Amino acid sequence: MPVHNSHIADVLNETADLLEIKGENPFRVRAYRNAARTIESLGQAAAELIEQGKNLADLPGIGEDLAGKIEQIAKTGDFDLLTELKAQLPEELIELLAIPGLGAKRIAQIHHQLKVSSVDDLKAALDAGKIGRLEGFGKKTEQNIREELEKLSRRPPVRTLLFRAEEIAASLAAYLKKAKGVKDITLAGSFRRRRETVRDLDILATCTKDSNIMDHFVRYDNVQKVISQGRKRSTVMLRSDFHVDVRVVPEVSYGAAIIYFTGSKEHNIAIRKLGIQNDLKLNEYGLFKDRKRIAGKTETEVYKTLGLPYIAPELRENRGELEAAQKDRLPKLITLEDIKGDLHVHSTYTDGRHSIEQMARAAKKRGYPYIAIADHSRHVSVAGGMGPDAVRKQIDEINKLNEKLTGITILKGIEVDILEDGTLDLPDDVLEKLDLCVCSLHYKFNLSKQKQTDRVLRAMDNPHFNIFAHPSGRLINQREPYELDMEQIFKAAGVNGCRVELNAHPDRLDINDLHCKMAKDMGVGVVISTDAHQTEHLDYMRYGIGQARRGWLEPDDVINTRPLDSLKRLLKRS
Ligand code: DGT
Ligand code: CA
Ligand code: CA
Ligand code: ZN
C-alpha cells in the first residue's frame, strides 16, 4: 500500500517547521520545504517512482541526501528525524503551529527570546504586551495572534478536505476489493454527497459468507489504530487521524443501507416520514410493509417504492429535493462530460508551472475544444503579474499557437486584479484586446461589507469585466470568506451580463453550493474553472462539478458547457 504524496509532503513540511523552531540553518529548512512542494506537485506517487527504480534526486529541488530520506518516508510512512525532533521539542510548543499567522519562524523567535513554550505562555506574553514589542511583530500582529487564539478555542473539530479524503478512499477501496469474497464496495456518507469536507469515511460492502474482509481491512498499512473490529462493522483510525468505518451488509438490504449511510441525516428523516405517511417503515435494512420487506436491494427500488424518482446523492440535504422529486422536477444535474473548456488557468507567464502550449495540449487531451489562459495582472507582483507589454507578448504567442495547434482554441484571458478603488489593474485599451477578463480580489480583504461590495460593483461597471473569480475568497479550513453582500453582487452581475466563477480548486470550491443555487435562482451564469497552475490541476474540474451538483446546477446554468461560438457571444457585453 503506497504512502501518499500528501503524507510525504506533510512530513517534510513538519520537519522543516520543527528544524526552524529549533533554530537550524535556514538553508536546510528551505531544502525541506522545497522538497515538499516538489513532491506535492508530482503527477505520480513518489512511492511508485521509487519502486520503479527512479532516483528522486533527479527531481528539481531534491538532492541525494533528501532523496534517501524521502525514500524512508515513502516506504514506511515514518521519518526518524521527525520523530527525534518531536522528542526534543516540548509538545505544547509544537502545538503553537496550529495558530494561523504565527508560523515556525515567529514561534522560533518568541520561544528563544521570550521563553514561550505553550499556548498559556503565549497568552501571558500577549497580556504583558511583550509580543508587540518584539522585532518584526508590532501591535497589528499582536492583535492578529490574539484573535486567532480566540477563534481556535471556538473552532469545531477539523474536517478533511474532500480531495484528501478522495486520495485515501481510492486506495483503500482498491485494497478492500482484494479481500477474499468481496462482491461490491460503496463509499457512502458525506463523501458520496461530495461535501467539500468530510469528517470520516463510511464504507459499505457486500461479500460472501467466507469473506475475510474485516481481517483484511484492519491489516491495511495506513492503519494507526483499530478502534473496533466485528463481523459486521469495524472502525479504524488511519495515520492521518482520519476515521474509517466499514460495514458489511446483506445483499437484500444493500440499497437501503446505501441510502441510510449516504445520508444526509436530514434527508433520511424526511424520506422516512414520507414512508410513514404511506404506512411504510424505512430503515437501513429495507422498506417494510407490515414487517414484510418490499424493497431494499437497490437505491432506485427503494425510492421507486416510496413513489419517488432516484435522487442524486449531492441533492440529499433536505433542501427541497423531496418536494422536487414528488413533482418530478428534479434538476438534470451537470456532469463532467458537459464541460467544454476551462476559463481560468495560469501559465509560465506568471506563476504557472507549464507553458501556454503545454496547458493547451493538456486541455485538448481532456477533450476540451477551448481553454482560456488567465494569468495574473501586475498588482500581484509576487506572482510576476503582467503589465501591458507582457500582455501584448502573450497575445502574440497565443495567436501563433492558435495557427499551429489543431483541435483546441486558446482564448486570450487575464486574471485582472480589482484594485481598492474598484478600478481594474490594467487600462481598457489592453483589456479590450482580450477575449475575456476574469476579475478577482487579491488584497485588502478586511474592508467593511459595504465597502468591499461597492468595490466589486464598481469593477463590474467596467464593460470588460466578464467573470468574478473565487468570489468569497475563502480557503477551506484556512481562511474565512471576506465580507461581501453576494445578493447585491449577483443582482448586479445579472444586470451587467457578468458571470460568477465556481473555482474548482479543492481548497477553494468558491462559490459554495448554496451560492450556486442562489446564482441559478437569480439567473446568473456560473463558470466552473480550475485555476490550474500546472497541467495536472485541470483534473480539479471534478470537485467543481461535485459542488455545482450540490448547488442544483444543470448544464444550461454553466456557460463553459457551451460550444465556442455561443460562449464567445455570451462573453460580449454591451
Ligand atoms: P460527516 O461524516 O460529518 O462528514 O457526515 P456524514 O453525513 O457522513 O455523517 P456520519 O458519518 O455521521 O453518518 C453517515 C450517515 O449515516 C449520515 O449521512 C446519515 C446516517 N446517520 C447517521 N446518524 C443518523 C441518525 O441518527 N439518523 C439517521 N436517520 N441517519 C443517520
Ligand atoms: Ca461520514
Ligand atoms: Ca461515520
Ligand atoms: Zn487564478
Side-chain angles (χ1 to χ4, degrees):
M1 198 49 255
V3 171
H4 298 302
N5 285 349
S6 55
H7 176 76
I8 300 175
D10 283 350
V11 169
L12 292 170
N13 276 324
E14 200 179 358
T15 307
D17 284 343
L18 299 195
L19 286 171
E20 189 162 27
I21 292 174
K22 235 187 113 188
E24 288 279 337
N25 181 338
F27 290 103
R28 194 165 168 220
V29 173
R30 203 170 312 145
Y32 277 94
R33 294 226 166 94
N34 288 340
R37 212 168 308 135
T38 301
I39 295 291
E40 201 150 41
S41 56
L42 274 182
Q44 202 189 342
E48 255 172 54
L49 289 174
I50 294 166
E51 222 160 78
Q52 293 161 4
K54 302 247 166 67
N55 186 357
L56 295 186
D58 294 341
L59 297 171
I62 297 181
E64 287 292 348
D65 175 53
L66 261 174
K69 291 177 166 151
I70 293 171
E71 200 170 319
Q72 187 198 358
I73 306 169
K75 282 192 175 146
T76 65
D78 287 325
F79 185 31
D80 293 343
L81 176 61
L82 181 60
T83 315
E84 250 167 65
L85 285 166
K86 280 186 177 166
Q88 287 166 6
L89 294 165
E91 201 170 309
E92 289 186 72
L93 176 63
I94 298 174
E95 282 164 11
L96 292 179
L97 281 169
I99 304 170
L102 207 48
K105 192 169 158 208
R106 288 195 158 136
I107 295 173
Q109 200 181 348
I110 59 176
H111 179 59
H112 295 290
Q113 293 178 8
L114 299 176
K115 305 259 169 296
V116 166
S117 297
S118 66
V119 171
D120 285 342
D121 292 350
L122 178 61
K123 279 187 189 147
L126 280 170
D127 291 342
K130 287 182 186 166
I131 300 288
R133 287 201 294 272
L134 282 180
E135 202 187 317
F137 276 69
K139 281 277 160 243
K140 215 170 149 195
T141 310
E142 184 177 278
Q143 187 51 29
N144 213 356
I145 296 174
R146 210 186 295 266
E147 282 166 16
E148 291 297 345
L149 265 179
E150 258 168 47
K151 262 195 236 160
L152 216 55
S153 60
R154 281 181 317 216
R155 199 160 71 177
V158 180
R159 299 175 57 89
T160 300
L161 287 181
L162 178 63
F163 113 106
R164 289 236 160 172
E166 197 172 70
E167 202 180 32
I168 295 169
S171 34
L172 180 53
Y175 172 83
L176 287 175
K177 282 190 183 136
K178 289 191 204 135
K180 191 173 90 185
V182 169
K183 291 186 182 163
D184 200 40
I185 298 280
T186 298
L187 293 147
S190 51
F191 179 83
R192 182 157 181 254
R193 304 197 312 278
R194 306 308 280 166
R195 267 194 74 175
E196 59 207 30
T197 59
V198 307
R199 188 178 49 87
D200 68 355
L201 273 188
D202 308 279
I203 301 181
L204 299 174
T206 51
C207 37
T208 56
K209 274 214 166 78
D210 62 345
S211 171
N212 68 344
I213 182 164
M214 290 310 191
D215 289 329
H216 184 74
F217 171 46
V218 300
R219 280 199 314 265
Y220 185 54
D221 254 17
N222 254 327
V223 169
Q224 183 186 136
K225 200 163 82 186
V226 177
I227 293 167
S228 69
Q229 182 181 353
R231 221 165 33 82
K232 289 188 179 155
R233 176 182 176 180
S234 303
T235 304
V236 306
M237 180 163 87
L238 299 180
R239 261 200 252 277
S240 46
D241 288 358
F242 189 65
H243 284 69
V244 184
D245 267 354
V246 171
R247 288 185 171 80
V248 172
V249 297
E251 271 170 81
V252 283
S253 302
Y254 197 38
I258 293 175
I259 291 179
Y260 185 87
F261 290 107
T262 295
S264 67
K265 189 173 161 182
E266 290 71 21
H267 174 85
N268 289 351
I269 292 171
I271 54 174
R272 194 190 306 142
K273 257 197 205 143
L274 179 69
I276 292 170
Q277 288 164 12
N278 295 298
D279 277 331
L280 301 174
K281 188 177 152 207
L282 176 66
N283 58 30
E284 67 257 54
Y285 304 105
L287 184 62
F288 297 86
K289 185 171 188 127
D290 307 325
R291 298 199 176 178
K292 183 174 156 20
R293 183 174 7 231
I294 56 170
K297 213 167 161 132
T298 68
E299 287 184 292
T300 309
E301 183 196 45
V302 174
Y303 279 119
K304 195 176 163 204
T305 314
L306 282 168
L308 299 171
Y310 177 79
I311 301 176
E314 294 91 336
L315 294 176
R316 301 184 197 169
E317 297 290 347
N318 198 28
R319 291 179 186 157
E321 72 277 14
L322 206 57
E323 294 74 7
Q326 284 171 311
K327 291 186 200 139
D328 210 15
R329 284 213 193 121
L330 283 173
K332 301 211 168 20
L333 297 179
I334 185 168
T335 66
L336 191 54
E337 288 67 42
D338 293 315
I339 296 292
K340 298 257 175 4
D342 201 324
L343 297 184
H344 180 176
V345 314
H346 295 266
S347 78
T348 45
Y349 272 77
T350 60
D351 57 350
R353 251 185 47 161
H354 291 125
S355 68
I356 298 176
E357 179 164 357
Q358 285 172 313
M359 295 305 283
R361 287 188 187 277
K364 182 180 165 184
K365 214 169 117 190
R366 284 160 178 80
Y368 293 156
Y370 55 81
I371 185 172
I373 302 295
D375 271 313
H376 290 288
S377 65
R378 59 195 170 188
H379 191 272
V380 192
S381 53
V382 287
M386 301 188 296
D389 289 341
V391 174
R392 272 181 220 113
K393 196 172 151 231
Q394 193 176 55
I395 289 176
D396 281 343
E397 181 174 343
I398 293 179
N399 283 337
K400 287 196 189 108
L401 282 169
N402 275 333
E403 278 175 24
K404 181 173 121 180
L405 300 176
T406 55
I408 180 103
T409 301
I410 309 171
L411 296 171
K412 295 155 209 157
I414 186 143
E415 179 175 11
V416 65
D417 253 58
I418 301 170
L419 301 179
E420 192 184 354
D421 63 0
T423 57
L424 299 179
D425 188 25
L426 283 167
D428 287 346
D429 64 338
V430 175
L431 299 181
E432 79 186 9
K433 295 198 174 69
L434 299 166
D435 297 311
L436 79 158
C437 279
V438 176
C439 305
S440 49
L441 300 170
H442 281 126
Y443 71 109
K444 286 276 174 193
F445 291 158
N446 53 2
L447 298 184
S448 71
K449 188 169 188 170
Q450 200 50 56
K451 274 203 175 126
Q452 198 72 283
T453 305
D454 288 341
R455 179 185 181 186
V456 177
L457 295 181
R458 225 168 297 144
M460 282 184 177
D461 285 339
N462 184 317
H464 299 296
F465 189 122
N466 293 122
I467 299 165
F468 185 26
H470 41 74
S472 87
R474 70 156 175 183
L475 293 174
I476 302 169
N477 284 350
Q478 296 173 55
R479 186 173 78 204
E480 294 295 316
Y482 13 83
E483 302 270 340
L484 266 186
D485 185 336
M486 282 300 181
E487 208 172 319
Q488 270 193 62
I489 287 177
F490 286 11
K491 209 178 273 169
V495 172
N496 289 322
C498 302
R499 271 82 191 186
V500 293
E501 180 181 87
L502 161 49
N503 190 296
H505 192 291
D507 280 331
R508 290 191 182 269
L509 291 173
D510 182 5
I511 47 180
N512 67 18
D513 47 1
L514 294 173
H515 283 138
C516 285
K517 182 92 190 326
M518 187 169 127
K520 180 190 176 96
D521 293 342
M522 291 176 73
V524 178
V526 175
V527 184
I528 311 180
S529 305
T530 63
D531 207 347
H533 282 67
Q534 56 191 72
T535 53
E536 296 85 353
H537 293 171
L538 291 171
D539 294 330
Y540 288 163
M541 190 59 83
R542 68 174 184 282
Y543 303 109
I545 294 292
Q547 190 82 323
R549 289 169 64 88
R550 291 178 57 77
W552 294 51
L553 298 190
E554 302 176 89
D556 268 358
D557 302 319
V558 175
I559 72 163
N560 51 322
T561 59
R562 309 289 164 91
L564 183 60
D565 50 345
S566 35
L567 175 81
K568 276 194 163 163
R569 240 174 291 127
L570 286 176
L571 290 172
K572 289 259 169 305
R573 270 181 61 177
S574 50

